[in-house]
Amino acid sequence: MALALPTIGLIAFFGSQWLDGRFDAQANHVSQRIDTVTVTAARANDSAVRANEVAGKVNDRLIAVETKQVQDMAANERFQNGTLNRLDRVQDSIVGLSNAVAALTATLQAIAEDRNRPPAP
């Protein structure tokens, strides 16, 4: 019995040392996890910053593309209108030439008929 208190003290000392070791191991593990999370968060932040920069560049490019598209559509419309106007004038010229050919044909037929008629007595 005389050794009971020192034995209990020794068991308590070794138990507390063992628990301290476990707590230290757990603290180291938690510290490593926190470091890992911190590094991951820093990488995510860097990625977010780069994504914002790229998004700004993409936005600028999109505005340039949309502007170019509107300009090209307007130029295309002007070209189509000009082409249609020229085609209308060509069609009018063809109609005029057709009328001129018809008139010339009628004139030549009239001259030919006049030549083929016998002279009047």
Side-chain angles (χ1 to χ4, degrees):
M1 205 56 145
L3 294 175
L5 282 177
T7 305
I8 292 173
L10 190 61
I11 291 172
F13 175 76
F14 285 130
S16 69
Q17 290 297 319
W18 180 77
L19 282 176
D20 283 344
R22 297 284 297 174
F23 287 145
D24 287 342
Q26 190 67 25
N28 286 339
H29 181 70
V30 168
S31 176
Q32 289 174 354
R33 293 294 252 169
I34 288 173
D35 291 342
T36 303
V37 168
T38 303
V39 168
T40 304
R43 287 181 185 161
N45 190 31
D46 291 343
S47 295
V49 167
R50 276 188 255 125
N52 273 342
E53 291 171 359
V54 169
K57 291 176 184 176
V58 168
N59 189 33
D60 292 343
R61 288 180 183 171
L62 180 61
I63 289 170
V65 166
E66 287 176 344
T67 302
K68 179 72 173 151
Q69 185 179 17
V70 168
Q71 290 171 347
D72 288 345
M73 284 174 32
N76 187 28
E77 188 175 334
R78 284 191 305 270
F79 174 76
Q80 287 180 353
N81 287 337
T83 302
L84 286 175
N85 286 336
R86 283 187 221 99
L87 286 174
D88 285 342
R89 285 185 290 196
V90 167
Q91 186 177 4
D92 291 343
S93 295
I94 289 172
V95 169
L97 285 173
S98 177
N99 290 338
V101 167
L104 184 59
T105 302
T107 303
L108 288 176
Q109 284 178 349
I111 291 173
E113 286 177 7
D114 282 346
R115 285 189 183 170
N116 289 337
R117 279 191 205 161

